């Protein structure tokens, strides 16, 4: 996926950009999330006893979580227990991506049981995340396509990538609370949303791919994952996380999630799928496709009775085709309606939903791009769509229902434009869309009633 950013910002010299990027990576613009720190703390003794560091440190070094000097300092400690303690003391100071990188390194070094332990602890933590730092430059970006065959992919050297990206990590998130007056005025005609937690949310993020498709590493995908986890927690959801799943694993674990008994006592549900994709499906890390209709089927009224008459939100961050939207020039500054092709695509989607309404209702699904087109992702800031989604939902969930918020997301996406001179992604565009079978307004009523 590629990501264009605001086009009004002048280009900075290459050297200056590389310096700025390196500064962010060494210092970090925000600390480790408190939930991540708590997960490490609660499992500190087990980790100190069981960690195998020799290969793990190399992975953390490769991911820029530790430096050569830090590795040498850890290795200078006497005994594996002392070395493990030194690493555990260091990790919370290494920025917002350190926890995810540590979990990934555990998986890559066949210590997945420790990763499972951390993620299980993390999913049980209910308190919300504090605001993250919002200290990135909105002027530059690197477009990268979100699925598509290898010949379509943009491959740049590290130096060029640094020059096109500026900013490190997710934006600042601080959800504005709903007022009691707004709740009283709108709750009667809206879906009930009072349970604590509001519901279960699943964030499934595929980043590392294998198999015959030769799908590329989704650089920036970890930012999307962290952003959505933070956003959904701030909105009052209990978040479950799945990373790097095959198509079969996705199907099985989505089915398990849909059958969780907690759905019976909560008021809504969220599923976010982040991966490479094609029209009608998303890729597992094995290069095989899970059809989105199968995902929706798992949560319909027949297969998921616990969620009948309750709103179910889906967010799909994946390509729906190979084509890069080149955009068109506005005439005389007048805003145009969507192109006929887009209107036909929307109409087709509406007809499909109408046919399925008897068994499939109370759903709303946001797509990062139109069918047949590629979605855009910034290798440092994450995808355009998830960034816009987080911005709108954090600012307007207090007084705007979900369908109208997705319209505002569309407006933000419409205005973005790629900046990658000399590549097919320069001045590229993207257009998000959503489809809905909701039967009432869906307000998230963040912070109400107050704890």
């Amino acid at each position: 996926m590629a990501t264009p950013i605001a086009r009004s910002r002048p280009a900075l010299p290459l050297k200056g950009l590389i310096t700025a990027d390196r500064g962010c990576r060494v210092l970090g613009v925000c600390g480790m999330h408190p939930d991540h720190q708590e997960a490490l703390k609660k499992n500190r003794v087990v980790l100190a006893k069981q960690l195998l560091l020799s290969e793990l440190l190399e992975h953390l070094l490769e991911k820029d979580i530790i430096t050569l000097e830090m590795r040498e300092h850890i290795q200078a400690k006497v005994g594996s227990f002392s070395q493990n303690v030194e690493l555990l003391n260091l990790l919370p100071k290494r920025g917002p991506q350190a926890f995810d990188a540590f979990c990934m390194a555990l998986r890559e070094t066949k210590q997945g049981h420790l990763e499972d332990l951390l993620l299980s602890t993390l999913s049980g933590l209910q308190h919300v995340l504090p605001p993250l730092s919002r200290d990135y430059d909105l002027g530059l970006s690197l477009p990268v396509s979100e699925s598509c065959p290898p010949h379509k992919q943009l491959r740049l050297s590290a130096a060029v990538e640094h020059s096109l990206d500026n900013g490190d990590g997710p934006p600042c998130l601080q959800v504005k609370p709903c007022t009691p007056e707004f709740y009283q005025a709108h709750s009667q005609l809206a879906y009930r949303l009072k349970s604590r937690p509001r519901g279960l949310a699943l964030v499934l993020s595929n980043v590392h791919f294998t198999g015959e498709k030769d799908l590329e590493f989704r650089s920036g995908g970890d930012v999307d994952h962290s952003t959505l986890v933070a956003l959904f927690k701030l909105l009052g959801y209990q978040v479950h996380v799945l990373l790097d799943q095959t198509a079969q694993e996705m199907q099985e674990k989505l089915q398990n999630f849909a059958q969780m008994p907690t759905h019976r006592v909560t008021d809504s549900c969220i599923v976010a799928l982040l991966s490479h994709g094609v029209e009608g499906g998303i890729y597992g890390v094995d290069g095989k496709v899970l059809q989105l209709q199968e995902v929706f089927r798992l949560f319909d009224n027949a297969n998921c009775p616990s969620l009948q008459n309750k709103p179910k939100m889906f967010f799909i961050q994946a390509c729906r085709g190979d084509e890069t939207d080149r955009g068109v020039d506005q005439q005389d500054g007048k805003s145009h309606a969507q192109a006929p092709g887009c209107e036909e695509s929307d109409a087709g989607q509406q007809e499909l939903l109408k046919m399925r309404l008897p068994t499939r209702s109370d759903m709303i699904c946001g797509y990062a791009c139109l069918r047949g087109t590629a979605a855009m992702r910034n290798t440092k800031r994450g995808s355009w769509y998830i960034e816009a989604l987080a911005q709108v939902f954090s600012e307007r969930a207090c007084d705007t229902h979900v369908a109208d918020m997705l319209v505002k997301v569309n407006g933000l996406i419409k205005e973005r434009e790629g900046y990658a001179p000399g590549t097919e992604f320069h001045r590229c565009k993207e257009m998000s869309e959503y489809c809905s079978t909701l039967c009432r307004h869906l307000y998230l009523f963040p912070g109400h009633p107050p704890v």
Side-chain angles (χ1 to χ4, degrees):
M1 245 192 174
T3 13
I5 308 223
R7 53 186 185 270
S8 59
R9 191 75 61 104
L12 300 177
L14 176 62
K15 182 176 180 181
L17 279 173
I18 293 176
T19 302
D21 180 70
R22 286 176 179 165
C24 280
R25 295 178 80 170
V26 173
L27 298 177
V29 294
C30 11
M32 179 180 282
H33 295 163
D35 277 2
H36 295 168
Q37 294 184 42
E38 187 68 14
L40 288 172
K41 180 181 176 183
K42 286 182 177 293
N43 296 288
R44 185 178 177 88
V45 174
V46 174
L47 292 169
K49 288 180 178 180
Q50 297 186 19
L51 276 174
L52 302 176
L53 283 194
S54 55
E55 186 182 350
L56 185 83
L57 291 178
E58 299 306 314
H59 283 274
L60 294 177
L61 184 64
E62 181 180 76
K63 301 175 195 302
D64 291 320
I65 300 302
I66 64 172
T67 64
L68 283 169
E69 293 79 7
M70 291 173 185
R71 183 186 65 177
E72 292 171 1
H73 182 70
I74 292 169
Q75 292 174 336
K77 298 294 181 181
V78 178
S80 61
F81 187 87
S82 296
Q83 292 179 0
N84 293 344
V85 168
E86 189 64 26
L87 175 63
L88 294 172
N89 289 339
L90 187 63
L91 279 175
K93 307 171 186 176
R94 299 307 300 160
Q97 305 305 318
F99 183 84
D100 288 341
F102 180 57
C103 288
M104 192 181 303
L106 288 172
R107 192 182 331 133
E108 291 168 344
T109 57
K110 296 182 171 35
Q111 301 180 71
H113 65 291
L114 295 178
E115 180 199 17
D116 292 341
L117 187 64
L118 288 170
L119 294 180
S120 176
T121 302
L122 186 63
S123 68
L125 297 174
Q126 294 300 301
H127 62 277
V128 299
L129 297 174
L132 305 176
S133 168
R134 187 172 196 160
D135 191 22
Y136 52 75
D137 186 344
L138 293 179
L140 301 170
S141 67
L142 171 65
V144 182
S145 179
E146 194 62 291
S147 81
C148 315
H151 69 274
K152 287 277 186 180
Q153 299 294 331
L154 177 65
R155 301 178 185 273
L156 299 176
S157 69
V160 175
E161 185 166 332
H162 286 159
S163 74
L164 293 176
D165 276 299
N166 201 18
D168 186 12
C172 172
L173 293 180
Q174 189 169 12
V175 172
K176 296 180 181 178
C178 163
T179 64
E181 293 77 15
F182 183 86
Y183 178 82
Q184 292 297 329
H186 294 82
S187 60
Q188 295 301 314
L189 297 179
Y191 282 101
R192 170 191 163 90
L193 232 69
K194 295 176 66 175
S195 64
R196 291 191 178 275
R198 287 288 194 258
L200 302 184
L202 176 66
V203 179
L204 191 157
S205 177
N206 290 337
V207 175
H208 299 89
F209 293 82
T210 58
E212 297 178 358
K213 291 289 185 181
D214 192 28
L215 296 167
E216 290 194 343
F217 169 68
R218 293 183 63 249
S219 180
D222 57 334
V223 178
D224 287 344
H225 157 250
S226 298
T227 297
L228 288 183
V229 169
L231 175 66
F232 296 156
K233 284 194 173 186
L234 287 167
L235 290 171
Y237 285 81
Q238 179 180 324
V239 182
H240 295 251
V241 176
L242 290 174
L243 302 175
D244 289 344
Q245 304 288 301
T246 66
Q248 182 174 346
E249 288 171 339
M250 289 194 294
Q251 198 277 340
E252 291 173 352
K253 293 181 181 179
L254 281 163
Q255 184 171 15
N256 292 340
F257 177 76
Q259 298 304 315
M260 293 184 73
T262 306
H263 290 306
R264 292 199 292 266
V265 295
T266 55
D267 292 338
S268 61
C269 176
I270 298 176
V271 175
L273 305 178
L274 319 174
S275 188
H276 288 307
V278 293
E279 171 55 33
I282 61 168
Y283 283 109
V285 295
D286 55 352
K288 296 181 180 178
V289 174
L290 173 64
Q291 296 296 325
L292 290 176
Q293 291 301 320
E294 172 62 14
V295 176
F296 301 144
R297 185 190 69 81
L298 294 173
F299 292 87
D300 68 20
N301 294 329
N303 292 287
C304 189
S306 296
L307 288 173
Q308 286 181 0
N309 298 314
K310 298 177 182 179
K312 296 160 281 286
M313 292 167 271
F314 299 86
F315 302 105
I316 313 299
Q317 172 57 45
C319 280
R320 302 174 72 189
D322 295 351
E323 296 303 317
T324 301
D325 187 347
R326 304 305 309 162
V328 296
D329 292 332
Q330 288 192 165
Q331 297 179 7
D332 303 324
K334 295 179 181 178
S335 297
H336 285 268
Q338 287 184 324
C342 300
E343 292 172 359
E344 291 170 8
S345 176
D346 287 344
Q349 197 71 20
Q350 289 165 2
E351 288 174 9
L352 181 64
L353 285 171
K354 286 178 181 176
M355 290 193 305
R356 297 182 180 273
L357 274 175
T359 53
R360 195 170 298 177
S361 65
D362 307 291
M363 292 183 177
I364 186 166
C365 182
Y367 294 94
C369 57
L370 300 178
R371 59 173 59 188
T373 65
M376 303 291 127
R377 172 173 27 87
N378 183 286
T379 57
K380 297 296 182 193
R381 288 170 47 192
S383 66
W384 294 7
Y385 183 66
I386 299 302
E387 186 177 14
L389 194 75
Q391 178 183 333
V392 171
F393 275 52
S394 61
E395 294 176 357
R396 299 306 304 271
C398 61
D399 60 5
T400 307
H401 60 76
V402 169
D404 275 359
M405 286 195 287
L406 290 179
V407 170
K408 295 179 185 299
V409 169
N410 287 350
L412 291 178
I413 296 297
K414 178 184 175 183
E415 295 303 316
R416 293 190 71 160
E417 184 170 302
Y419 181 83
T423 76
E424 65 172 306
F425 296 114
H426 189 50
R427 302 203 69 189
C428 66
K429 302 291 290 185
E430 176 180 306
M431 191 62 231
S432 56
E433 69 172 344
Y434 74 93
C435 56
S436 173
T437 58
L438 293 181
C439 303
R440 293 183 168 208
H441 286 326
L442 173 53
Y443 290 100
L444 300 180
F445 299 127
H448 190 86
V451 179

